[in-house]
Amino acid sequence: MRITIDGPAGVGKSTVAKSLSRKLKIPLLETGKIYRAVGLALLKGGRKPQEVMPEDALDALKDIKILPDIGETKMLYRNHPIGEEIKKEEVGNIASVIGAFPSFREAVNEIFRKVSGKDIIAEGRDAGTHIFPEAEVKIFLIASIEERARRRLKDLKKMGVKADLDELIARIEERDRRDETRDKYPFVPARDAIIIDTTGKGVDEVIEEALSVIRTRVG
Ligand code: DC
């Protein structure tokens, strides 16, 4: 069974997708991780987001290996595991710049399809529209911008990173705008996706709703 979980930054899709992967024992493909891993490699190589070219991103992609697994997507860059660093805001920002390159999206999507078996939970932005348009179940998570920024703030605090709520709101809005207005492959829900609004809901409640969508769709 193929299940896609898409949604914007900070909506909680990663937590939901991880939990569903463990509960249903279906491997997880975290698509944002590859955009972030490539972004981190470029930042470490001294590139600034505004200078990055599609060829740089495609080049770094050659050194990345991904393996979907239960509850996580294992990922290596030059045979070294990729750490928590990819969760940082500046990495998310460069990942979104890379996400606007159609040639890069086409290359990663081909890799995603190659590394996924017939059972997969794919989490990201375009899992239901471009990676697995034939998926049996498509879920699209939404939440208010304030709540998404608050959740991000909590995650960053846990990692020991200081951040300001208003600044985070502005950054997330900028990222949303870039992801939604890119010329090719703009970020939109799949037409047949079920929308779940997670605003004001706890993780368990959202997971129950997602499980109920899956049961209804596949029996
Ligand atoms: O989901 P995330 O916050 O980890 O993603 C970081 C950025 O990567 C996001 O702003 C845009 C890009 N991305 C993408 O373009 N397509 C995906 N399937 C996943 C992520």
Side-chain angles (χ1 to χ4, degrees):
M1 178 179 28
R2 286 185 165 154
I3 301 171
T4 61
I5 316 275
D6 289 307
V11 79
K13 57 188 186 293
S14 168
T15 312
V16 171
K18 274 185 185 156
S19 169
L20 289 177
S21 164
R22 290 198 189 101
K23 278 184 199 282
L24 302 171
K25 305 212 165 29
I26 297 180
L28 175 64
L29 177 70
E30 297 166 278
T31 65
K33 238 177 165 178
I34 204 162
Y35 289 84
R36 286 174 177 267
V38 167
L40 179 64
L42 296 178
L43 282 179
K44 283 194 167 169
R47 306 310 282 264
K48 295 197 172 59
Q50 64 273 22
E51 289 171 355
V52 172
M53 303 295 287
E55 307 79 68
D56 302 327
L58 285 165
D59 226 34
L61 185 62
K62 290 185 195 135
D63 291 326
I64 292 196
K65 286 199 186 90
I66 46 172
L67 182 69
D69 205 346
I70 304 296
E72 67 166 331
T73 307
K74 300 213 166 100
M75 199 170 298
L76 301 174
Y77 176 67
R78 295 192 174 156
N79 293 320
H80 292 288
I82 292 160
E84 294 281 287
E85 267 179 294
I86 59 163
K87 291 190 181 161
K88 289 187 178 166
E89 272 310 294
E90 70 256 35
V91 180
N93 185 46
I94 192 167
S96 147
V97 171
I98 294 168
F101 301 143
S103 56
F104 185 81
R105 304 196 71 81
E106 284 152 16
V108 286
N109 286 355
E110 212 175 297
I111 295 175
F112 290 150
R113 285 189 283 266
K114 241 183 229 160
V115 299
S116 301
K118 64 177 179 21
D119 288 326
I120 196 81
I121 294 181
E123 168 260 301
R125 312 272 164 150
D126 59 345
T129 46
H130 296 295
I131 309 175
F132 298 118
E134 75 294 356
E136 290 95 324
V137 184
K138 297 181 186 176
I139 292 172
F140 194 91
L141 302 179
I142 56 168
S144 73
I145 181 86
E146 291 78 14
E147 179 134 347
R148 289 160 55 205
R150 271 197 300 275
R151 287 178 189 161
R152 243 317 124 83
L153 192 67
K154 221 164 120 190
D155 284 351
L156 291 172
K157 260 195 189 152
K158 264 193 225 150
M159 291 195 295
V161 178
K162 273 196 192 149
D164 170 79
L165 187 66
D166 289 336
E167 205 178 299
L168 266 181
I169 290 178
R171 283 221 205 175
I172 292 178
E173 276 178 335
E174 183 197 332
R175 192 130 71 84
D176 282 355
R177 202 164 32 247
R178 193 185 300 125
D179 294 344
E180 287 162 8
T181 60
R182 57 189 175 224
D183 291 343
K184 219 171 162 200
Y185 308 122
F187 169 48
V188 287
R191 259 194 230 123
D192 49 349
I194 304 289
I195 311 271
I196 300 180
D197 188 346
T198 72
T199 312
K201 291 178 188 159
V203 176
D204 291 345
E205 196 180 337
V206 177
I207 289 164
E208 266 318 305
E209 252 183 75
L211 282 171
S212 140
V213 168
I214 296 167
R215 278 186 222 112
T216 312
R217 282 280 166 119
V218 295

